[in-house]
Amino acid sequence: MTSPVSPGEAAPATPRIAICGLSLEASTYSPARTTRADFVRQHGAEILDYYPFFDAELRARATWLPLVRYRAIPGGAIPRADYDAIKREMVDALAAVLPVDGVLFDIHGAASVVGLDDPEADLAAALRAVAGERAVFSSGMDLHGNVSLDLAQLVDLMTCYRMAPHEDWLDTKARAAVNLVEWLARHGEKRPARAWVQVPILLPGEQTSTRLEPAAGLYAKVGSLASGPGHPLWDLGLWVGYPWADEPRNQAAIVAYGEDAEACGAACADLAQGLWEAREQFTFVAPTGTLDECLDLARDSTARPYFVSDSGDNPTAGGAGDVTWSLARLLERTDLEGLRVVYASIPDAPAARLARDAGVGATVTLTLGARVDPGPEGPLSLTGVVEHIAEGDEVAQTEVVLRIGPVAVLLTERRKPYHLISDFTRNGIDVSACDIVLVKIGYLEPELFAAAADWRLALTPGGVDQHLARLGHERVARPMFPLDAAARAGGGYEPTLTPTLLTEAS
Ligand SMILES: [Zn+2]
């Protein structure tokens, strides 16, 4: 135990706070793997520089010890050896800067590791073993993360986003940092009163957008209950959980912390009951349909551009991104002639390099996709004309626009979510001039949402299939809404939604 103050005393004027993190959302239904090399690794000062809220004032309030932070775009599970290496690096880095009063534990909450449940709790336990029982841990998480009781016991100050799409992500990360500083200033190493409760529902993010009820109202309530430093309830989070992993922890959770356990418990119980009672009201954020139904509507509509989400292989939720099924269906259609159609995107490194080397204007025959996730279609063979080549995107690397009849197919060297208008303009595509834009995504991120004149969510196959029952969960708690009839409204199952109060750790 190395903390410089004893229980009940105030912390030193400038507490020592380590920062380390692991940020990944990983589908266990994708055959993809996220290796250590797939992560962006930040260390030292670049972690502070990455977050704009680390202004001069916040920097002056603590001796910040930015260690290492790993983040990757959503994908498949981390191989065990890769995870162990990341963990060892973090533990060693923390051991080298002791003593610490706090740890800003920067996690997403939905990482998966092959052969290991609950990696965030495993990592938190390893870091706490080094930091000491009295160090205060704080995390600002994604609301699609999972919070097991183990994790809730290990992390003192937990909060998460209140918006999906996550327009408040930086506010949340800032709150986790500022509240940690505030807690240490007011209470030193005394740990907060907390409450935790799980709610047995498992919903895709596309049904829990905060643009719509009931999520809008539930998260508005979260915001109104969070009273800030000094109050009985400082902050709280409602995690809707991550449905594309099959672990006992995967379900919704609510955690609150502050000065008073009863206040935290009452808020958790209230929100848990509200969430459970609203479970049948969650609907998809856009009208859904089969891919063909959505394309029929898009073809016949006068709304331009008309967006269709290819949701089952959405790379931002953990899809491998190279499932070819939807592209194959699109190219089979003979009724789209005369329309301007974009498909974004399909990753295949050898095919992208071959097309690039052929050059703009060349006609190329390629076999592409399905290297990671074969899906129901397998690799696709096609012939098209190279229309545009872009180099230098740090995620996609080489991007090629391949013209096949009315369809411009974005072929990338590496898996890349297309979220921004600039992702298209960089490739010579003016989205506003298109008729149909088929994009591997779930709910539309803000820029695309603003650009879309109309929109459908196609329920396509892949590692993040929106039809949860098709996935066949085996290890989550049962009954689980909506997987089990007993958990549906009127089904007879009423879960115990009594929060567990976590008081001062012994
Ligand atoms: Zn999320």
Side-chain angles (χ1 to χ4, degrees):
M1 183 51 238
T2 48
S3 185
V5 291
S6 53
E9 287 181 9
T14 51
R16 293 171 58 80
I17 301 176
I19 308 175
C20 49
L22 175 69
S23 189
L24 174 70
E25 183 174 90
S27 169
T28 60
Y29 293 101
S30 166
R33 291 289 177 263
T34 304
T35 67
R36 193 181 187 190
D38 294 322
F39 284 88
V40 173
R41 176 183 176 276
Q42 295 169 305
H43 76 288
E46 65 184 327
I47 299 175
L48 292 181
D49 294 340
Y50 175 71
Y51 286 122
F53 55 79
F54 274 114
D55 56 13
E57 185 192 344
L58 184 56
R59 287 181 193 227
R61 294 190 66 189
T63 301
W64 296 98
L65 305 162
L67 304 178
V68 63
R69 179 175 181 272
Y70 281 87
R71 75 172 202 279
I73 60 172
I78 310 170
R80 182 64 189 259
D82 292 64
Y83 167 74
D84 285 342
I86 290 170
K87 178 168 124 179
R88 200 176 315 120
E89 182 186 357
M90 260 178 227
V91 164
D92 290 348
L94 182 59
V97 298
L98 294 175
V100 295
D101 304 292
V103 175
L104 188 59
F105 183 50
D106 190 4
I107 53 173
H108 175 289
S112 295
V113 172
V114 178
L116 173 72
D117 283 345
D118 204 354
E120 282 85 359
D122 180 77
L123 189 56
L127 294 169
R128 184 167 281 293
V130 175
E133 278 304 311
R134 310 304 308 179
V136 178
F137 278 52
S138 181
S139 292
M141 298 170 61
D142 190 304
L143 61 82
H144 298 120
N146 310 288
V147 186
S148 64
L149 182 56
D150 284 347
L151 186 64
Q153 285 172 325
L154 286 158
V155 180
D156 308 279
L157 316 176
M158 302 188 98
T159 193
C160 67
Y161 309 153
R162 296 171 190 157
M163 296 177 78
H166 306 316
E167 295 167 67
D168 66 332
W169 77 277
L170 271 175
D171 298 338
T172 307
K173 299 288 184 188
R175 201 164 63 240
V178 170
N179 280 8
L180 176 54
V181 170
E182 284 288 339
W183 186 271
L184 290 170
R186 289 161 187 261
H187 294 298
E189 63 184 15
K190 179 187 166 199
R191 294 173 68 184
R194 285 165 290 149
W196 167 91
V197 65
Q198 281 181 312
V199 182
I201 69 167
L202 208 47
L203 292 167
E206 284 64 25
Q207 290 188 24
T208 51
S209 166
T210 59
R211 289 179 185 142
L212 300 177
E213 296 295 349
L218 285 163
Y219 279 96
K221 195 165 190 177
V222 169
S224 69
L225 286 165
S227 304
H231 289 86
L233 198 175
W234 279 40
D235 200 4
L236 73 169
L238 192 170
W239 287 257
V240 299
Y242 183 70
W244 296 292
D246 194 11
E247 288 186 34
R249 67 175 179 161
N250 289 90
Q251 57 180 293
I254 299 151
V255 185
Y257 70 85
E259 308 285 342
D260 180 64
E262 298 298 325
C264 293
C268 285
D270 184 28
L271 277 167
Q273 195 62 38
L275 177 59
W276 178 249
E277 286 172 4
R279 66 194 183 284
E280 294 281 3
Q281 296 164 31
F282 290 96
T283 52
F284 280 107
V285 68
T288 59
T290 65
L291 181 64
D292 276 331
E293 286 167 354
C294 295
L295 290 174
D296 287 350
L297 286 165
R299 176 200 58 207
D300 296 340
S301 174
T302 55
R304 295 292 183 248
Y306 197 110
F307 275 68
V308 176
S309 294
D310 179 5
S311 66
D313 190 32
N314 170 17
T316 64
D322 73 341
V323 173
T324 56
W325 186 88
S326 298
L327 178 57
R329 300 290 82 72
L330 180 68
L331 295 176
E332 274 170 8
R333 293 187 64 128
T334 55
D335 56 345
L336 303 176
E337 279 303 329
L339 299 179
R340 289 153 298 180
V341 183
V342 175
Y343 183 83
S345 59
I346 189 90
D348 189 298
R353 288 188 212 115
L354 209 149
R356 176 198 59 200
D357 294 347
V360 171
T363 298
V364 290
T365 297
L366 305 167
T367 299
L368 50 76
R371 290 181 187 273
V372 178
D373 190 342
E377 185 74 21
L380 196 60
S381 290
L382 47 77
T383 299
V385 177
V386 177
E387 198 168 76
H388 192 278
I389 297 168
E391 297 279 11
D393 183 76
E394 68 162 355
V395 176
Q397 298 183 353
T398 297
E399 297 168 286
V400 175
V401 177
L402 208 57
R403 166 67 51 189
I404 304 166
V407 184
V409 177
L410 266 157
L411 166 63
T412 62
E413 190 168 357
R414 295 187 62 179
R415 191 171 65 115
K416 158 94 180 174
Y418 282 75
H419 278 185
L420 305 174
I421 295 299
S422 61
D423 291 331
F424 293 88
T425 51
R426 181 178 62 246
N427 287 289
I429 295 167
D430 175 4
V431 167
S432 67
C434 292
D435 294 299
I436 301 174
V437 182
L438 185 53
V439 58
K440 285 194 177 185
I441 202 168
Y443 49 65
L444 295 183
E445 293 292 325
E447 287 191 16
L448 301 190
F449 184 72
D454 202 352
W455 171 35
R456 287 292 180 281
L457 187 103
L459 299 174
T460 52
V464 292
D465 196 321
Q466 302 278 337
H467 261 309
L468 296 185
R470 278 201 296 226
L471 295 169
H473 289 84
E474 292 177 345
R475 301 183 61 227
V476 298
R478 305 308 273 261
M480 179 69 68
F481 177 85
L483 305 179
D484 299 302
R488 307 297 300 246
Y493 173 62
E494 282 301 324
T496 304
L497 298 175
T498 306
T500 300
L501 301 187
L502 304 168
T503 49
E504 177 77 354
S506 57

